[in-house]
Amino acid sequence: QVQLVESGGGSVQAGGSLRLSCTASGYPYGRNFMAWFRQAPGKEREGVAAIHTGLGGLEYADSVKGRFTISRDDANHSVVLHMNGLKPEDTAMYYCAARDRDTWTGFGILDKRDYNYWGQGTQVTVSS
């Protein structure tokens, strides 16, 4: 059974930094993409960043390019999201996601419909 466990959320002031980590178990790590999504109250869940756990390909949402960095910790089957220059609009519940499908819906690597495993989420709050 696949489990994704997130850690590292919290509250910071604008301009601050946070590091989110997601550890996968029971998952065929190294064969597909893992990603971070976020959902603010009243808004749709949106993709933030993705990384291929084997090939290392990366994808970022325009809203976080230059501020967030996604990386892998292969020894621990983990993906890490480094968030710098945080803004109040980054406030959301952040979810780790993983996929093991062979096909894509065609809406992009950061489309939530392409991910079939989800963590419980970790809250990030940025105050102005």
Side-chain angles (χ1 to χ4, degrees), residues 20-34:
L20 305 184
S21 181
C22 171
T23 300
S25 60
Y27 174 69
Y29 187 91
R31 299 180 186 177
N32 216 310
F33 278 88
M34 290 181 66

Side-chain angles (χ1 to χ4, degrees), residues 44-91:
E44 291 284 321
R45 188 171 297 189
E46 62 174 358
V48 174
I51 186 168
H52 194 285
T53 56
L55 301 176
L58 304 174
E59 183 80 5
Y60 292 97
D62 288 342
S63 59
V64 306
K65 282 180 181 176
R67 301 188 298 123
F68 291 12
T69 302
I70 190 169
S71 62
R72 290 158 31 194
D73 177 0
D74 293 342
N76 293 303
H77 287 193
S78 298
V79 293
V80 179
L81 186 67
H82 304 266
M83 304 185 294
N84 298 313
L86 283 161
K87 305 175 181 179
E89 52 263 43
D90 294 317
T91 295

Side-chain angles (χ1 to χ4, degrees), residues 95-107:
Y95 296 92
C96 177
R99 52 175 276 125
D100 61 3
R101 296 169 176 163
D102 294 327
T103 58
W104 293 85
T105 59
F107 293 99

